[in-house]
Amino acid sequence: MADRRVAAPVGPSGARARDRRPLARQRARWRLLPWWVRVLLVYAAARAVTTAMMLALASAQELNAWTAASPGYADFASMWDGNWYHIVAVVGYPAELPLTPEGRVAENAWAFMPGYPFVVRGLMLATGLPWAPAAVTVSVLFGAGAALLFQRLMVPVLGGPSAMFAVVLFCVAPLSPMMQIAYAESMHAFLLTLALLLLVRRSYGWLFPVVAVMSLTRPSGLAFALALGLHAVFRFVRRGRDPFPVRERLLVGFLAVFSAAMGFSWPAAAWAVTGSLTAYTDTELAWRSAYIGYGELVPFASWFQGGDWWLGSPLGPILVVCLVLAFAGGLFLPAVRRLGVDLRIWVASYALYLLAVFFPQSSTFRLLMPMFPLLGAVAQPRSVAYRVAVVMASLALQWGWLLVCWRVDGYDWTPP
């Protein structure tokens, strides 16, 4: 009987086919790994790259207010507001508000919520670790948890492959160094992702404890309360096609009120301890006094004040209006709409909260982190060239952010 085996192709095309086989096998092995292993491997690789960047900057770091020259990683990762969290963890909050020579409320620990430093304090007591390595450990672990939950959040709307690339973007994003420094953002990202996952799955009862802790980790209770209210309105309008039972209506309503109450709980705590009704807002306003002086918190005025300070009038305020309109329009782009109503509602609610209370400066980039569901829109194109370009751009912007905002260069007015 004749041998019917086909000879392997020769020539350039055959060589290319043979060259592709190892790559195909590697892709097959990658897909066979459990989803959580893939996420953790991506997270670990991204953190290794960020660590290399930070070590390079630390080696050239000069003596500053927080560290000696050329500090080790943990000390370098605990600068800036990490010092305030350290104070909260080991000392607590002042019963009397510190004042400037002019009699104004000075910067103090009440601006920093207790969730993150209390968790770090628990790890310090349990292990004997000093502040810096304990704080970095807590941040890295919460960052890993956030990446795992983000994959679960993205799979229903993007499918497996695109959800995995969204995780890649989450792990290498320009502000992803926050996942491994002594700030509360990593813990808040974990809690927020869990809250959004529960909201999308309509597991309303489980949201109560998550919202409570989240609201005492980073200011988010009021924004999440607005998102819950809009979620309830949307479900009520669509109740003919998607039933919205009375029990769920009541549960969401109670949850929205609870979230709003948690949003006011920290200012209330500051009032109770210091005796000043405006202790928390006065403390927050102290940080913007270097830009525009002291004043009252007027909702929705801060961005216009910032636009006027940075660019002058009328260009600054006009730019703010343009940014608001562009952002609102962006929420209706096809790629963003594919994320679903609930995630867009959260992004819009948080954006409105920032517009109402935040003064734009270098920390703006960090405060935009809770809008990370938008990475799902960026992750949708499947072109390999596009995806490589996005990852490389993210890493370049990460280095730029570390260089401009994290490294201390003498008198530095670009805090992270």
Side-chain angles (χ1 to χ4, degrees):
M1 182 179 295
D3 189 348
R4 296 179 179 271
R5 289 178 295 179
V6 179
V10 295
S13 60
R16 285 195 298 269
R18 286 193 298 273
D19 291 343
R20 285 195 294 266
R21 289 171 189 166
L23 181 59
R25 285 195 294 268
Q26 291 172 5
R27 288 177 177 172
R29 293 192 191 101
W30 174 256
R31 295 191 185 101
L32 289 174
L33 291 173
W35 68 269
W36 57 272
V37 173
R38 283 180 279 154
V39 170
L40 291 178
L41 287 173
V42 167
Y43 181 77
R47 299 286 62 78
V49 172
T50 301
T51 299
M53 292 182 184
M54 293 191 67
L55 287 175
L57 290 177
S59 66
Q61 177 61 61
E62 298 178 355
L63 177 69
N64 59 83
W66 298 279
T67 73
S70 303
Y73 179 85
D75 289 335
F76 188 65
S78 304
M79 299 191 308
W80 298 102
D81 289 350
N83 186 57
W84 284 111
Y85 285 118
H86 186 194
I87 291 171
V88 172
V90 300
V91 177
Y93 295 93
E96 294 184 8
L97 294 173
L99 301 177
T100 67
E102 296 78 24
R104 303 281 190 174
V105 174
E107 297 174 359
N108 66 85
W110 281 109
F112 301 90
M113 293 182 166
Y116 172 74
F118 282 15
V119 171
V120 179
R121 176 66 174 173
L123 181 62
M124 293 168 66
L125 293 174
T127 64
L129 285 172
W131 162 260
V136 171
T137 299
V138 169
S139 292
V140 169
L141 291 177
F142 272 116
L148 290 167
L149 291 175
F150 186 59
Q151 197 270 357
R152 296 289 86 188
L153 185 65
M154 290 290 103
V155 164
V157 293
L158 300 181
S162 292
M164 194 66 222
F165 185 59
V167 171
V168 172
L169 296 182
F170 179 83
C171 293
V172 302
L175 272 291
S176 61
M178 302 304 301
M179 302 293 176
Q180 57 186 87
I181 62 177
Y183 272 51
E185 269 68 17
S186 180
M187 179 175 171
H188 183 257
F190 171 82
L191 294 166
L192 176 58
T193 314
L194 179 57
L196 292 173
L197 189 59
L198 292 171
L199 179 64
V200 169
R201 294 179 176 179
R202 299 176 183 175
S203 301
Y204 302 123
W206 290 102
L207 270 168
F208 283 92
V210 176
V211 166
V213 180
M214 179 177 72
S215 301
L216 292 175
T217 302
R218 287 288 304 158
S220 52
L222 296 179
F224 204 76
L226 176 59
L228 287 166
L230 294 175
H231 168 85
V233 170
F234 180 78
R235 287 204 63 189
F236 183 79
V237 171
R238 290 175 54 88
R239 66 191 183 281
R241 287 172 286 179
D242 179 14
F244 191 24
V246 173
R247 178 184 174 278
E248 290 191 355
R249 298 180 200 176
L250 293 174
L251 193 57
V252 175
F254 285 133
L255 183 58
V257 172
F258 176 76
S259 185
M262 289 305 305
F264 286 110
S265 65
W266 190 241
W271 175 20
V273 173
T274 65
S276 171
L277 175 63
T278 58
Y280 176 71
T281 53
D282 287 345
T283 298
E284 289 286 2
L285 290 171
W287 260 267
R288 69 180 66 174
S289 63
Y291 298 91
I292 58 174
Y294 288 90
E296 301 296 326
L297 178 61
V298 180
F300 298 102
S302 300
W303 279 78
F304 293 98
Q305 291 172 336
D308 187 57
W309 190 87
W310 287 101
L311 298 174
S313 185
L315 180 59
I318 290 174
L319 179 60
V320 171
V321 172
C322 292
L323 286 174
V324 170
L325 294 176
F327 183 83
L331 292 177
F332 294 93
L333 293 173
V336 180
R337 294 183 64 180
R338 292 189 194 103
L339 299 178
V341 172
D342 289 326
L343 297 184
R344 288 193 296 146
I345 281 176
W346 160 250
V347 170
S349 299
Y350 184 71
L352 189 63
Y353 171 77
L354 288 186
L355 184 65
V357 302
F358 183 67
F359 179 84
Q361 29 93 359
S362 56
S363 295
T364 303
F365 304 109
R366 174 171 57 87
L367 269 71
L368 293 177
M369 281 185 66
M371 296 185 185
F372 59 78
L374 291 176
L375 292 173
V378 183
Q380 291 174 30
R382 297 187 177 183
S383 164
V384 174
Y386 166 83
R387 292 187 170 186
V388 170
V390 171
V391 170
M392 297 305 294
S394 296
L395 293 173
L397 290 171
Q398 186 179 141
W399 173 255
W401 181 81
L402 287 169
L403 195 63
V404 173
C405 292
W406 191 258
R407 182 192 61 155
V408 182
D409 184 15
Y411 177 73
D412 203 318
W413 57 279
T414 57

